[in-house]
Amino acid sequence: MSRRVAQRRWPAVRGAMGPVAALAAGLFLVAGTAGTAAAVPAGGAAAVTAGCGSDGEAKQPSAAGAAAARAATAEPPAAAVGTAAEKISYRLPSQLPIGMWSSSGVTLRTPVTKGTVRLDVRSRGFGTDSLSIQRYVPKTHKWTDLKSRSTGSDTHGVFTFPVTAGATAAHPENVALRIQDLDKPGTLTVTASVDDGKGHTYRAPARTSTATRPDVSVTGWRSGGGLHRGGAPSGPFTVTVKNTTDRPYPALYASYSAYGAGTGHALAPKDLVLQQYRPGHGWERVPLVAGGCDPGMSAALLPVARGPLAPGATASYRLRIAVAGSAPRDVSHVEAGATVGNGDLSFFHQDLPFAVR
């Protein structure tokens, strides 16, 4: 399991800090190479330097974390799937938007005594260790993770949970599940089966889904360019997000992060001037915030979409950056980048480095 994926598997950590604070602390440790679009767990980055900020910062819950907590206590609708002839049926939506929970479920039509439901998951384009699958427990009104085990293959995972049900074809029993991909686009196929505890195993038809995410592009940025201390800002560049999935993307955010260090000094927020253009407002300065003990900095861009980004809708962030005259003379290069995500998980990052002259 890669470090990036391992960090994603800590939901408590992901909800502990907001995306901007986390990106400032560790974006460049986990974001990948220039020009790539990779899902970066905001809270995972925070885990790299969790001890750097103040106690108040570390304990500040994010809005996304609160929303996730509300979703975790909401009882899902029960709906039978499959045909009356199937002892076990499994449902899976055709798309799994990355970073969002997608409803799934198992329907049983045969008695099960201390049996086990098993989900064999085979993926293409990403590893199954980046998947989270949970079932809803009516007695506790909570979601709980399914047990998972390694098969020795990054693209084959097994998830199980115990079950006892007096189900029949006339009175099926439903188990609500939800699934989430925290990594890259690709496809997955799930085959559900149940051991009824009496020596019989029944299998459901396999279901295939596509893990997808909004399309993000950065235009107008001059790769390899440079900026002068106290000089004019860069030319405008635009981060464009188009929701190409079949579901609204909630809590959409975009952020900008930067890091620059010389032989004896590092850039501070006062040394860079980030501006964002908004129709009717013109160019507005967006404050950069230092990243705790890390000399990096980041800024949450001003929102450009009201509410969730609907399928087919586009959100554009028009930006420009300048280097203030206060920038240390020994800093000659800045690592910077733009990140887009929803809630506390980012699904796109692109490096935007520049020289300082």
Side-chain angles (χ1 to χ4, degrees):
M1 181 186 296
S2 68
R3 183 179 70 175
R4 182 186 302 168
V5 170
Q7 289 164 346
R8 289 196 188 94
R9 301 307 296 263
W10 294 85
V13 173
R14 290 205 307 273
M17 295 180 68
V20 176
L23 286 164
L27 174 63
F28 298 103
L29 295 177
V30 297
T33 57
T36 61
V40 182
V48 177
T49 55
C52 292
S54 67
D55 290 341
E57 288 176 333
K59 295 176 182 178
Q60 180 65 32
S62 67
R70 289 193 298 271
T73 59
E75 185 167 355
V81 294
T83 67
E86 294 174 353
K87 302 294 185 181
I88 178 175
S89 307
Y90 177 71
R91 63 181 173 86
L92 185 70
S94 60
Q95 282 192 15
L96 299 177
I98 293 174
M100 295 171 59
W101 286 111
S102 296
S103 178
S104 180
V106 164
T107 296
L108 299 172
R109 294 184 176 85
T110 188
V112 178
T113 304
K114 294 183 179 181
T116 301
V117 171
R118 169 174 167 148
L119 304 180
D120 276 271
V121 184
R122 297 186 182 275
S123 62
R124 185 173 184 178
F126 59 90
T128 55
D129 61 356
S130 71
L131 288 175
S132 288
I133 305 180
Q134 297 182 335
R135 68 184 174 99
Y136 185 77
V137 182
K139 287 185 178 179
T140 61
H141 303 285
K142 292 181 179 180
W143 292 93
T144 183
D145 291 332
L146 300 193
K147 290 183 179 180
S148 63
R149 66 176 178 83
S150 173
T151 63
S153 170
D154 291 340
T155 58
H156 179 201
V158 174
F159 299 81
T160 63
F161 62 90
V163 64
T164 293
T168 65
H171 298 92
E173 186 159 325
N174 305 297
V175 180
L177 304 173
R178 64 181 186 179
I179 184 170
Q180 181 177 199
D181 173 27
L182 300 174
D183 199 3
K184 300 177 294 184
T187 60
L188 61 86
T189 298
V190 182
T191 302
S193 61
V194 62
D195 171 2
D196 68 358
K198 301 174 184 178
H200 303 100
T201 298
Y202 304 99
R203 289 179 175 78
R207 296 286 182 256
T208 298
S209 184
T210 301
T212 185
R213 64 184 173 204
D215 179 68
V216 185
S217 61
V218 179
T219 56
W221 179 256
R222 288 183 54 197
S223 179
L227 298 172
H228 292 274
R229 292 177 183 82
S234 68
F237 58 99
T238 303
V239 179
T240 302
V241 185
K242 183 176 182 180
N243 187 359
T244 52
T245 76
D246 61 0
R247 287 172 57 190
Y249 253 79
L252 181 73
Y253 75 85
S255 64
Y256 180 89
S257 295
Y259 171 90
T263 55
H265 303 85
L267 289 180
K270 65 182 178 62
D271 301 323
L272 294 179
V273 179
L274 176 65
Q275 292 180 309
Q276 180 177 345
Y277 183 84
R278 292 200 303 165
H281 298 269
W283 288 102
E284 300 179 80
R285 184 163 183 171
V286 183
L288 288 154
V289 179
C293 68
D294 190 282
M297 64 193 82
S298 63
L301 301 184
L302 302 175
V304 296
R306 293 184 178 180
L309 189 65
T314 298
S316 295
Y317 303 83
R318 193 180 185 202
L319 309 169
R320 65 186 184 187
I321 187 76
V323 179
S326 61
R329 293 288 168 178
D330 59 336
V331 176
S332 61
H333 184 79
V334 177
E335 295 289 343
T339 300
V340 178
N342 64 296
D344 61 349
L345 177 82
S346 63
F347 51 76
F348 173 90
H349 171 79
Q350 181 163 322
D351 291 341
L352 304 169
F354 58 89
V356 178
R357 297 168 181 161

